[in-house]
Every structure is written in C-alpha cells, then in structure tokens.
Amino acid sequence: MINFTLGEEHEALRKTVQEFAREEVAPVIGDFYERGEFPYEIVAKMGHMGLFGLPISEEYGGMGGDYFALCLALEELARVDSSVAITLEAGVSLGAMPLYRFGTEEQKQTWLPKLTTAERLGAFGLTEPGGGSDAGATRTTARLDGDEWVINGSKAFITNSGTDITGLVTVTAVTGVKDNGRKEISAIIVPSGTPGFTVSKKYSKVGWSASDTRELSFADVRVPKENLLGEQGRGYAQFLSTLDEGRVAIAALSVGLAQGCIDESLKYVGEREAFGRKIGEYQAIQFKIADMELRAHTARLAYYAAAAKMLRGEPFKKEAAIAKLHASNAAMDNARDATQIFGGYGFMNEFPVGRFYRDAKILEIGEGTSEVQRMLIARELGLR
C-alpha cells in the first residue's frame, strides 16, 4: 500500500523548521519585507541549522539528507514567508547543487563547505534580458585565452547574486558551435568580485521583497579554465537537470504559500464577525476555504510523487512539471481567495495574506513558466 506518512527523520525536520518559521521568521519578516532588506541574521540561523546543506553529504559540510528534506523545509518556511524560502531554495538548488552534481573534487572542497553553512551563497546565472524562457538563445560568450576563460554578456533576474555573502555565480555561456550548427553552451564558475563582473542594484519587485534579485554584466571577465563546471558543451544538459530538481522545490514552496493562506484564513474567519455571526459560519466562506484546502492537498501529493521518483533515480521530468504547474496555480488561487476573505484587511501590508498575494504570481513564472510546464508535459506524453 502507498504510505504518505513522513518517516521519523523527515517529520522531525518538518517540525523543527515549522517552529523556526513561526518563532524566528514570522515576528520580524514583515519589517524586512517592507524595507526591501535582506534578512542576513535569519539566513545565518538557517545556516547554523544546516538547512543549506540538507541534500549534500557530510563530506562537504552538509547534513547528508535528501532532496525531499529540502522540499519539506521550503514548504514550512513558505507557510510564513516566501522571501526566506526562495533564498534557501536558490542557495541550495541553484547555488550548491550544480557544484555537488557536476563539480570536480577541488571545486567541491573549495565551495561546498561555505555554501552548506550559508557562510557564502551561490547563484545560477541562466536567464538573459532578451532570453526569458528561451534558455537556448544564450548570448553570453566565453572563449579560452590561454589558461583563462574570457566572459562577456549579461544575465537577468538572478537570485542571491548581490548579497554581502554571495560567493559565486555559475554562468551559462556559449563556448563554441556544435557540428550540427547549434550553440555549444557550458557552465563556468565566476567568483564574486572578479574584475569586470558587475552586479546591478536590486530590482524593485512586486513580491519577494526581502530576497536579493539582480542583473549581472560581464565585460572581459577572466577566470581560470579550471572554473569550467562539468564538461565543456554540457552546460545546457546540466542546467536542464538542475531545473528539473528546482521545479520540485518550487512546487514545495508553492504548497507552503498555499497552506499559509489557509492557516491565516482559518484564524481570521474564527475572529471576524459580520451580520452578527463569525464569517466562518457562512457557507460561502466555508466552501472557499474547502477549495483552498483541496488545492494545497493535491499540490502536496504532486510534489511528493515527483520527489519520490527523483529519489528512486527514475525519470521525473513530467512529474516535476506537473507538480510545479499545479502547485504554483494553487498558490496563486489560494492567495487571491485569502485576500478576498480578509476583505479590505487583505489589501493591507500588515497582514501576511497581502504579502502572500504579492509573492504568489512569480511562482507561475520563475524556474519555468506555466506555459513551459504544459509544453514539457505534452512532450513527455509523446506530443511533438
């Protein structure tokens, strides 16, 4: 029989992160959000807890857990705040995991002990200003000049790329042309502070206001040829693998936001009165919350299923796309319904649901738009 009950270790982790989110994050994150300030102290505490090293082996300073453990942590954090959750997701899934999956032993020993403790954050430079979902249209270039890569180009919407503790950005760049005429794309590690590597000021964003997102530019940036991550010309395949894992993580984060909307709505409808009754006694409100629970529950099952196939080493591209698509839609719909339940108060920044509403939309865009997820699902079904 299928058993959806969490094992002891996973349940203990979930409860630990839930307690941290409620006691350490929830009381202060609203102020960080409104100021657009990165929560360094919270990130440091998460580093001390080992959250940034959950799926990485102890050999490199990690916790020796699995990717599902990271997903559980993301869900619990996002029940309270998505800026903190995306900082963890990007730091692990996009910052550390490419190094862990494809790095040389020297690269792993150099970077992972710092990334797993959040002493440093890593970022993944894929998206470009004119590229968007068309990652294959990469224009950033890297050419070998003796023993160095010379990188020129720009990247957009890169999370964790400009904090005071950012240590590196892994950049995808065109390094040649294949026999079939297509671009050869490789991944190259660029340490922060490298001459010619410029980080713009933070974007003014609709949501995720306490996270770090920036545009990057590279003007004759030189790094050693040993900074190549994985095989030359395999960068495209590597980042597709990275994104498959990341979509499961974003699905978990989306479920957290969807569940947070339910949590806040249940508290509010038990207190708010209208026409002489608690509004939770009205069937219209009850049905709305029932629909919210339906979305969160099924989205959770979707990311559980995708994570299970990933951990078993089975192909999970379709399941990851389904989970990401369904969970991000659930987050957006639940945020809209929660805001409606709160009425005018839902439009006020002092209430978490207002923050949830602002944070939800990007989940249908980042790490593959909803349209891209539908395209991937169709392809996995054999439709070309």
Side-chain angles (χ1 to χ4, degrees), residues 223-372:
V223 297
K225 66 178 183 180
E226 291 79 15
N227 281 28
L228 178 72
L229 182 62
E231 299 179 34
Q232 183 171 339
R234 292 286 296 167
Y236 191 82
Q238 289 170 197
F239 74 65
L240 288 179
S241 173
T242 297
L243 290 178
D244 283 341
E245 293 184 348
R247 283 167 184 148
V248 182
I250 290 295
L253 192 157
S254 300
V255 170
L257 189 151
Q259 186 64 53
C261 290
I262 298 168
D263 297 341
E264 294 299 322
S265 295
L266 286 173
K267 287 189 292 185
Y268 185 73
V269 301
E271 300 169 355
R272 175 78 162 92
E273 293 188 2
F275 305 103
R277 299 168 63 187
K278 299 285 178 60
I279 64 172
E281 296 177 17
Y282 292 105
Q283 193 175 66
I285 298 295
Q286 293 173 358
F287 281 10
K288 195 177 289 290
I289 294 178
D291 286 341
M292 293 166 68
E293 177 66 17
L294 170 65
R295 298 182 197 116
H297 179 76
T298 54
R300 183 177 294 109
L301 293 178
Y303 96 72
Y304 275 27
K309 294 197 74 171
M310 174 172 49
L311 295 183
R312 290 196 300 266
E314 300 174 7
F316 66 99
K317 183 181 293 290
K318 181 183 71 174
E319 288 75 14
I322 290 171
K324 202 273 183 181
L325 175 62
H326 181 48
S328 60
N329 288 345
M332 189 71 238
D333 289 343
N334 277 18
R336 183 174 55 250
D337 281 352
T339 302
Q340 192 70 22
I341 288 171
F342 272 69
Y345 290 112
F347 203 61
M348 300 296 111
N349 287 327
E350 64 186 279
F351 288 89
V353 293
R355 192 166 71 242
F356 293 164
Y357 190 77
R358 291 163 65 181
D359 289 341
K361 183 57 192 174
I362 188 60
L363 298 172
E364 296 181 319
I365 300 172
E367 297 206 31
T369 65
S370 294
E371 291 76 16
V372 166

Side-chain angles (χ1 to χ4, degrees), residues 71-109:
C71 291
L72 292 174
L74 291 171
E75 180 181 345
E76 291 301 327
L77 288 170
R79 287 177 73 169
V80 168
D81 178 71
S82 291
S83 292
V84 170
I86 195 58
T87 298
L88 175 63
E89 191 278 334
V92 179
S93 178
L94 302 180
M97 291 305 289
L99 283 159
Y100 187 52
R101 298 287 193 213
F102 309 112
T104 64
E105 186 61 27
E106 182 179 357
Q107 289 170 345
K108 293 177 184 179
Q109 294 289 353

Side-chain angles (χ1 to χ4, degrees), residues 142-160:
R143 61 178 176 84
L144 270 176
D145 181 20
D147 292 335
E148 294 180 317
W149 290 104
V150 182
I151 305 170
N152 285 279
S154 61
K155 300 292 180 178
F157 314 127
I158 310 304
T159 304
N160 290 346

Side-chain angles (χ1 to χ4, degrees), residues 2-60:
I2 298 175
N3 183 4
F4 292 106
T5 303
L6 297 179
E8 289 186 9
E9 290 187 4
H10 282 138
E11 178 61 17
L13 170 69
R14 188 196 67 78
K15 287 183 177 179
T16 298
V17 179
Q18 181 185 68
E19 181 180 354
F20 171 77
R22 291 178 176 177
E23 296 183 3
E24 301 286 343
V25 179
V28 300
I29 196 60
D31 290 337
F32 283 101
Y33 197 94
E34 288 307 306
R35 296 195 304 267
E37 183 178 329
F38 189 80
Y40 287 100
E41 291 185 6
I42 292 175
V43 171
K45 289 178 181 179
M46 290 162 58
H48 291 315
M49 292 171 66
L51 300 187
F52 282 87
L54 278 171
I56 295 173
S57 67
E58 296 178 7
E59 177 184 2
Y60 303 111

